[in-house]
Amino acid sequence: MTATVHDVAILSDFRYPGGTSASIAAEIRAQARAGLTTVLVHVRSPHLKQNRPFHPLLTELIKDGSAYLAAEGEEVTARLLVVRQPRIFTEDLRTVPPIRAGRAVMVLNQAPGDAGDPARYYDFAAVRQRVQGYFGAGIEWAPISPQVRAEVLRADPGATLTGADWHEIIDGSEWWTDRPGPVSAVPVIGRHGRPDPVKWPRTVPELLQAYPDTPGMRVRILGGGELAVEKLGRTPANWEIIEFGTREPAEFLRGIDFFVYFHDPDLIEAFGRTIMEAMAAGVPVVIGEHFRPLFGDAALYTTPEGVVPLVRALYADPGRYRAVALRAREFVEARFGYPSHVARLADRGVRPGAPPPPALAPPPPPPPGAVLLVSDNGVGLGHLSRLMAIGRRLPGDTPVVVATQSHGALVAHQEGFLTEYIPSRSVLGLARSGWAELLRSRLEYLIELHRPAVVAVDSVPHDGIVAAARAHRGITWVWVRRPMWRRDTGAEWIERRDAFDHVLEPGEFAAAADEGPTVEDRAGVRLVGPITYLDPDELAEPEDARQALGIEPGRPAALLQLGAGNINDIASPVARIARHLRDAGFQLVLAESAIATEPMPPVEGAHLVKLYPMSRYLRGFDLVVSASGYNSFHELIAFGIPAVFLPNRETALDDQVSRARFAAAAGAALIIEDPDGPDLDRVLARAVRADVREALSRRCAEVAPLNGAADAAGWLAAFIDRPEDAR
């Protein structure tokens, strides 16, 4: 499969609340406007400890298609890699993203330290060593301003830096408001930015000189005002404090007359994006002399003591006020406009493609008749695996597209599917309403792009899915709805069934024990056998499986397969299980999810494997201790593998307990009901006996149902040629 080659890959932590994310957003817009494609590669910064959402500017750009967010572990190919925020590399990355790029730039958008400590924020030499180890010694090191350049050279005089700064950019047309003079009846001084104590003057006298408690003047502060109030011990009567993030900066700037920014003298301000934004908005800027190398004659320079006289003089002279605003606007457009960014990309071989000749016909749209398979994110690969099981059995000439909210997008790609990744709500940190709109818009975009005849959804019907289905009634919409829901859960999802044309329900071995809401909602539902990704004849032979897994011959082997998120919750029982199996002479293999984003806690004596599909190697094991999620449960029963089920009792919908109890009652498996009590030792003492395991395998062979995936695929395929049967 040919890899997509993006023009620019941007690697950063997209949760930064301030200038880093705003800068990335501006570059994405500039690239999109120039016809260049952007892929975002998210890595977590060690100094952002809280669970933050993505910055809303970046979420919006992902939503509207201006940038593509790569799934974790997805191989990315780009002409240029741009890495932002050196503090990400103050510790080793847990996983290095697989990125291939023609050239790479490390943008130094923060100084290593401040006036008091040149390495307060990061050790430049250590960061350089890590970054070059990850992305190659040829990566360029580009400071964003003269201030950062000077601080890097102070930390490492021998550092090799780019000749030109990788300065910030802005689209002035989005910010500019023409004003003949001040907009308020009295001078309004303002500033905006993320809350940070060092972004304020150090002393109270300087703070009140720059932001005066003076009759006949007002002060408006968007972000961080509470820090200034804390320093003063009071809120001046003429101050208005606005919480960070509650108002758009462009809107805020339209309501002030002067942008005044002074900070702690130890702070090395990397660039001053908020200063540039004020200039672009037509607001005269009053700042310290140390910013002159960046902003030249476009700003007004003074000390905190000189703010009030300068503001009063300019306020009283509308002609000069307007001249200052116009001069700043011209400077920003010439120095920091989008064309400057496109030019530096071109210098690195990234140029917009030439437009097609006028006589050249546009490429034909893709042929209709595709099947679009849409999976939920979940915490594992269950939804996605069921859909791929169906997709790989559709007729060979059927275009199949997998769209998933799961990090398993990479798995689907590796299995040969054309794959689209839809970032989940949890990844982006969106509110429910914002997530619904994003999901709807992405589905509608994929429908327009791939022109499917059938959309099959293995997920609960989220608002965005329902909205997309109701807006595209010319397509056959199928809800692939797993049974065995927990009693008294999910009724609100069942009520949304009418958004779909059909419901396809994979079978359930433990159907007789199913007490969930789907049981009473089977009218008109297409039932098939339990769905597994593989058929029995696709499994590796025992010796081949053991060799692939690194299992020694001649000794029994056990697999611990405890489900996404389960092992962290039952660490103590897992240790007991492992000890019991080791004492019985078993080799241990611990299965890690193919999409795990956090390392699993170690289990003493266990060999960790991360393979997909793990079911291909099940015949290499003499015993499996497993959670009883739909997929793993039916694989173990269908393939006759002796199993002990340890149900995950914390799932939202899936009734793993009833499923495991039924298998135990049928004699096809064992169950540990109470992992914290003596039940665990009693069950495992039986499970390690060869005669018990042989009996479990024989019983599975007697009762194992056939794989329903081919039946489901044939039923879906019929709607491609007979769309009139959709309703």
Side-chain angles (χ1 to χ4, degrees):
M1 184 174 291
T2 303
T4 299
V5 180
H6 300 274
D7 292 307
V8 181
I10 300 177
L11 183 147
S12 189
D13 188 324
F14 303 119
R15 301 172 300 152
Y16 282 105
T20 296
S21 293
S23 301
I24 292 171
E27 292 187 4
I28 294 170
R29 290 194 203 97
Q31 288 154 199
R33 196 170 296 177
L36 301 172
T37 59
T38 304
V39 58
L40 303 180
V41 181
H42 176 63
V43 292
R44 295 178 70 89
S45 173
H47 69 277
L48 283 184
K49 303 297 185 184
Q50 294 181 343
N51 226 354
R52 298 172 181 264
F54 276 24
H55 192 286
L57 289 176
L58 298 177
T59 299
E60 191 63 30
L61 291 167
I62 294 168
K63 173 182 169 182
D64 69 19
S66 298
Y68 167 73
L69 178 63
E72 181 161 342
E74 179 178 351
E75 292 185 4
V76 169
T77 303
R79 294 180 174 85
L80 176 68
L81 168 64
V82 178
V83 184
R84 276 188 165 269
Q85 187 41 272
R87 290 185 71 189
I88 291 172
F89 304 98
T90 53
E91 297 178 9
D92 292 338
L93 296 182
R94 187 180 66 82
T95 303
V96 181
I99 302 174
R100 292 187 299 170
R103 295 183 67 170
V105 179
M106 176 74 213
V107 178
L108 297 166
N109 57 302
Q110 184 175 19
D114 56 25
D117 181 356
R120 181 183 298 276
Y121 304 116
Y122 61 92
D123 181 325
F124 176 76
V127 166
R128 178 175 56 193
Q129 183 177 9
R130 285 193 181 93
V131 169
Q132 290 181 342
Y134 297 149
F135 308 116
I139 190 169
E140 298 178 77
W141 294 80
I144 67 167
S145 68
Q147 295 96 313
V148 173
R149 180 182 297 273
E151 287 303 306
V152 169
L153 293 175
R154 182 162 77 106
D156 184 352
T160 301
L161 306 177
T162 55
D165 295 337
W166 191 282
H167 57 71
E168 303 273 16
I169 62 169
I170 195 167
D171 179 8
S173 65
E174 295 181 353
W175 293 81
W176 176 256
T177 299
D178 194 16
R179 53 175 82 190
V183 297
S184 307
V186 297
V188 178
I189 290 172
R191 57 174 281 168
H192 73 90
R194 64 178 174 84
D196 192 328
V198 298
K199 289 184 172 289
W200 290 91
R202 180 181 297 172
T203 69
V204 169
E206 287 182 323
L207 179 60
L208 288 176
Q209 287 170 345
Y211 308 98
D213 181 3
T214 303
M217 281 193 176
R218 291 169 53 208
V219 174
R220 301 185 76 217
I221 302 167
L222 174 60
E226 67 279 4
L227 300 174
V229 167
E230 183 179 351
K231 185 183 289 282
L232 292 176
R234 61 188 178 86
T235 302
N238 65 328
W239 281 25
E240 179 185 359
I241 309 296
I242 305 170
E243 185 179 352
F244 180 71
T246 60
R247 192 166 303 175
E248 291 298 322
E251 176 192 355
F252 171 79
L253 289 169
R254 285 194 288 270
I256 67 173
D257 297 310
F258 300 90
F259 185 89
V260 176
Y261 180 53
F262 288 89
H263 55 71
D264 189 295
D266 276 354
L267 173 66
I268 306 298
E269 183 70 72
F271 185 85
R273 182 172 185 86
T274 58
I275 298 171
M276 181 179 67
E277 290 170 351
M279 288 180 172
V283 180
V285 166
V286 180
I287 50 180
E289 185 67 32
H290 58 285
F291 282 111
R292 189 180 290 275
L294 257 180
F295 299 111
D297 294 336
L300 302 171
Y301 302 97
T302 186
T303 62
E305 187 179 11
V307 168
V308 170
L310 181 55
V311 164
R312 290 196 187 280
L314 199 60
Y315 184 84
D317 188 345
R320 185 186 170 209
Y321 181 100
R322 179 170 173 78
V324 169
L326 291 173
R327 184 172 69 235
R329 179 194 185 189
E330 292 170 1
F331 174 85
V332 165
E333 289 182 347
R335 180 74 65 87
F336 304 129
Y338 281 9
S340 66
H341 179 64
V342 175
R344 67 190 176 200
L345 296 180
D347 289 342
R348 292 164 173 83
V350 181
R351 296 178 175 85
L360 188 63
V371 174
L372 176 61
L373 305 174
V374 181
S375 92
D376 207 342
N377 63 315
V379 290
L381 283 166
H383 300 281
L384 181 59
S385 289
R386 284 190 294 274
L387 287 180
M388 291 195 299
I390 297 170
R392 66 194 294 260
R393 292 171 174 84
L394 286 165
D397 59 348
T398 305
V400 180
V401 182
V402 171
T404 179
Q405 302 166 44
S406 166
H407 290 300
L410 178 61
V411 170
H413 177 77
Q414 291 171 340
E415 290 297 298
F417 289 97
L418 177 59
T419 306
E420 301 278 2
Y421 174 53
I422 305 174
S424 68
R425 181 184 169 209
S426 60
V427 165
L428 297 177
L430 284 177
R432 192 174 300 278
S433 59
W435 162 240
E437 176 58 24
L438 184 145
L439 183 56
R440 180 199 61 77
S441 65
R442 292 302 290 165
L443 286 176
E444 292 189 344
Y445 166 77
L446 294 177
I447 289 168
E448 180 180 353
L449 178 65
H450 298 292
R451 303 175 67 199
V454 178
V455 179
V457 179
D458 194 317
S459 166
V460 293
H462 298 295
D463 291 345
I465 294 172
V466 170
R470 288 176 174 158
H472 295 270
R473 300 313 297 176
I475 297 170
T476 301
W477 288 80
V478 177
W479 184 9
V480 182
R481 189 183 70 187
R482 176 190 49 73
M484 208 78 191
W485 294 13
R486 296 173 66 174
R487 188 193 307 177
D488 299 326
T489 61
E492 70 277 14
W493 301 121
I494 300 293
E495 292 173 358
R496 297 183 170 202
R497 174 182 165 177
D498 63 354
F500 299 89
D501 302 303
H502 299 281
V503 176
L504 171 67
E505 188 167 296
E508 171 63 61
F509 174 70
D514 191 349
E515 297 180 338
T518 64
V519 174
E520 301 298 323
D521 187 54
R522 294 261 165 79
V525 172
R526 172 69 180 202
L527 302 175
V528 297
I531 289 179
T532 59
Y533 188 69
L534 299 179
D535 291 315
D537 60 3
E538 295 182 277
L539 270 64
E541 292 301 318
E543 291 308 313
D544 294 335
R546 292 170 77 91
Q547 184 175 1
L549 294 165
I551 297 173
E552 298 176 16
R555 289 178 57 203
L559 172 68
L560 306 183
Q561 180 177 266
L562 296 168
N566 200 19
I567 192 168
N568 294 286
D569 301 329
I570 55 172
S572 178
V574 167
R576 289 174 57 202
I577 292 169
R579 184 170 60 253
H580 207 300
L581 294 174
R582 285 196 308 271
D583 291 346
F586 280 75
Q587 302 172 74
L588 300 184
V589 173
L590 180 62
E592 182 174 45
S593 170
I595 61 168
T597 57
E598 297 293 338
M600 299 185 75
V603 174
E604 183 181 354
H607 168 54
L608 183 68
V609 295
K610 188 174 183 177
L611 295 169
Y612 184 87
M614 189 65 199
S615 56
R616 193 180 303 280
Y617 308 98
L618 285 176
R619 286 184 178 148
F621 296 102
D622 301 279
L623 178 66
V624 177
V625 180
S626 176
S628 47
Y630 182 94
N631 290 31
S632 56
F633 175 88
H634 287 100
E635 288 167 350
L636 292 168
I637 299 293
F639 304 149
I641 311 300
V644 176
F645 288 121
L646 181 57
N648 184 349
R649 298 171 182 267
E650 302 302 322
T651 57
L653 286 180
D654 196 20
D655 189 355
Q656 291 199 16
V657 174
S658 295
R659 183 180 287 131
R661 285 173 176 167
F662 183 88
L670 303 178
I671 180 176
I672 297 174
E673 289 274 8
D674 180 10
D676 296 314
D679 184 50
L680 183 147
D681 299 310
R682 179 185 59 78
V683 172
L684 290 178
R686 290 188 61 208
V688 297
R689 290 167 41 190
D691 61 321
V692 172
R693 288 183 275 115
E694 290 170 5
L696 293 175
S697 293
R698 287 196 303 271
R699 182 57 176 159
C700 284
E702 294 170 358
V703 299
L706 297 176
N707 190 354
D711 188 8
W715 181 74
L716 282 183
F719 294 118
I720 298 174
D721 300 323
R722 296 185 287 109
E724 67 277 4
D725 290 346
R727 290 163 188 82

